[in-house]
Amino acid sequence: MKYSQPIIVEGWQKIAEKYSSWAQYGMTMHSKLVLKEDWDWLESIICPSLKKITGLDHKIELCINFFVAPKKTRGIHVDYPNPQQPNWALNIPIINYEDSEMIWYSGDYSQHTYYRPGGMSSEKITWHSKPQLVEAYSIKEPTLVYVDVPHD
């Protein structure tokens, strides 16, 4: 996997159906934490597919639904760096994903950690030169994505 890798997750459409009502029309962007009460159900759908790929058992560490309106952007960012291993996430399209894409960048930048309300952390990026696009992928099915490099 360079930056994105679609995977087969049997039943992922059930996930999309369950959370499609969370999309708030008229808003350009919002996110919502998925309650831990849902994690067992999500793991029953997702984790068998991940085990087929890695041979390992997996558990959800964090589950957030991000909704970004068509033709909008969250801005280039880096999520939750872990120096011990590459950080990845499983993106599952929920609604209005037909014209969306995830883009990864490289270039000369520095980053520092900041904490959002609720204790979540992200990396603030300061670009010292224009970011260079290295990959773009339209996520129309469950896709493993690297999140420890600049992306939007």
Side-chain angles (χ1 to χ4, degrees):
M1 174 169 101
K2 183 156 185 178
Y3 297 99
S4 62
Q5 177 65 50
I7 67 169
I8 295 170
V9 175
E10 299 295 333
W12 72 270
Q13 295 88 347
K14 290 185 250 179
I15 297 170
E17 184 178 312
K18 178 178 177 84
Y19 296 110
S20 65
S21 65
W22 286 18
Q24 297 176 8
Y25 293 95
M27 293 188 73
T28 58
M29 179 178 356
H30 72 281
S31 61
K32 189 171 183 178
L33 286 172
V34 175
L35 298 176
K36 285 193 176 187
E37 292 83 44
D38 286 358
W39 289 15
D40 285 342
W41 176 74
L42 289 166
E43 287 174 347
S44 74
I45 296 170
I46 296 166
C47 292
S49 298
L50 295 176
K51 187 169 186 168
K52 285 180 186 177
I53 295 168
T54 66
L56 303 171
D57 291 322
H58 294 270
K59 298 296 259 175
I60 292 174
E61 293 182 22
L62 180 65
C63 190
I64 306 171
N65 282 341
F66 292 99
F67 296 92
V68 181
K71 309 294 185 201
K72 298 297 179 184
T73 177
R74 291 186 60 221
I76 301 173
H77 62 283
V78 174
D79 300 323
Y80 327 112
N82 180 346
Q84 278 69 44
Q85 63 186 20
N87 255 336
W88 57 271
L90 176 62
N91 280 9
I92 297 176
I94 302 292
I95 191 169
N96 296 333
Y97 53 83
E98 295 79 11
D99 294 325
S100 67
E101 66 181 351
M102 190 163 176
I103 303 170
W104 290 265
Y105 298 89
S106 68
D108 183 19
Y109 66 93
S110 57
Q111 63 189 58
H112 70 276
T113 303
Y114 72 96
Y115 295 91
R116 295 184 273 173
M120 302 286 296
S121 65
S122 275
E123 296 295 295
K124 177 158 178 55
I125 297 174
T126 301
W127 291 97
H128 307 295
S129 63
K130 184 177 178 179
Q132 301 298 309
L133 186 147
V134 293
E135 183 177 324
Y137 184 76
S138 181
I139 298 174
K140 296 185 180 353
E141 67 273 306
T143 304
L144 293 174
V145 295
Y146 276 125
V147 294
D148 62 345
V149 295
H151 63 279
D152 184 12

